[in-house]
Amino acid sequence: MSKKSGVVGVSDHGGWAVLVTVDPDGTFQDRRRVDLVEEGLPKIPHHHEAQGLPLDEAVALVERVRASAEKHSELALESVNAAVPRIRGIALRICPPLPPTIAERIQDYRSQNIADWVMYRRALALAAKARGWPVHWYDAKKVLAAAAQALNMENLDAHFFQLRKTIGPPWDQDHKLAMAAAIVAAKVPSA
């Protein structure tokens, strides 16, 4: 049985995410890009597809996408857990507040622009909690500086450059953000 443990950092997008896992001292362990919705369903339904439908049909569409996101989030975390058997938590971007109902989110301009991303983050959080993993929420604007501080580095650019040379591509801004979030979450004392 592997003794590896880690924390997963997530950089999410409409319908997919990059997951980077680090061990408790912040050392890279795993990376993967995962789909968070099944083929054939829209990736950003609040913002796009629901806008051209009658409200009841739009709500039903968003519900189908949400259910798919929950299923695919479970599968994504299962794949990470197969690579790193002892996950100690997951770091997700903070969710801005939204109106309580799907109908209100579809009809509110501000909400329809962020509701899809929040839906995916909540699906990942739900899947993590079902596995007993603590969920850590991070601010994307502050997490790189917080990770540099956690590793006692001036900045992370040289660290990320060396890591990319070691592990090869892909290694882009999403990977950096997800790893930084995982590093910060890994430094949070366990309850």
Side-chain angles (χ1 to χ4, degrees):
M1 178 67 135
S2 173
K3 300 260 189 230
K4 292 194 302 186
S5 71
V7 175
V8 181
V10 179
S11 179
D12 62 274
H13 291 274
W16 61 276
V18 167
L19 284 62
V20 176
T21 305
V22 302
D23 69 14
D25 72 2
T27 303
F28 171 84
Q29 286 194 36
D30 183 71
R31 68 174 165 195
R32 62 193 62 233
R33 182 191 184 280
V34 297
D35 289 322
L36 296 174
V37 67
E38 69 192 64
E39 189 75 30
L41 283 177
K43 301 200 181 342
I44 52 172
H46 288 91
H47 181 69
H48 191 263
E49 289 80 4
Q51 296 305 309
L53 296 174
L55 189 55
D56 60 334
E57 292 177 32
V59 169
L61 175 63
V62 170
E63 283 289 355
R64 283 195 309 277
V65 174
R66 181 197 51 75
S68 180
E70 289 175 1
K71 175 185 170 194
H72 280 75
S73 293
E74 291 170 7
L75 295 171
L77 298 188
E78 183 177 311
S79 72
V80 170
N81 208 188
V84 183
R86 295 180 10 197
I87 298 297
R88 299 176 347 137
I90 189 169
L92 299 163
R93 284 185 224 200
I94 55 175
C95 294
L98 290 172
T101 69
I102 292 172
E104 290 171 295
R105 294 174 201 153
I106 290 168
Q107 294 173 320
D108 178 71
Y109 181 74
R110 179 194 155 277
S111 298
Q112 65 187 236
N113 285 296
I114 58 175
D116 296 307
W117 285 260
V118 170
M119 175 181 61
Y120 291 115
R121 290 173 199 160
R122 288 180 178 167
L124 285 161
L126 184 66
K129 288 177 184 176
R131 295 177 98 52
W133 300 355
V135 176
H136 306 274
W137 298 97
Y138 72 90
D139 182 338
K141 293 178 183 175
K142 298 177 181 177
V143 76
L144 291 168
Q149 183 178 9
L151 294 177
N152 201 24
M153 295 180 175
E154 196 66 29
N155 76 41
L156 294 175
D157 291 337
H159 179 68
F160 287 147
F161 179 75
Q162 187 59 43
L163 181 61
R164 187 189 188 285
K165 280 177 46 179
T166 303
I167 65 172
W171 189 257
D172 59 25
Q173 192 60 32
D174 287 312
H175 294 88
K176 294 173 188 177
L177 188 67
M179 185 169 180
I183 288 167
V184 172
K187 299 300 182 180
V188 173
S190 298

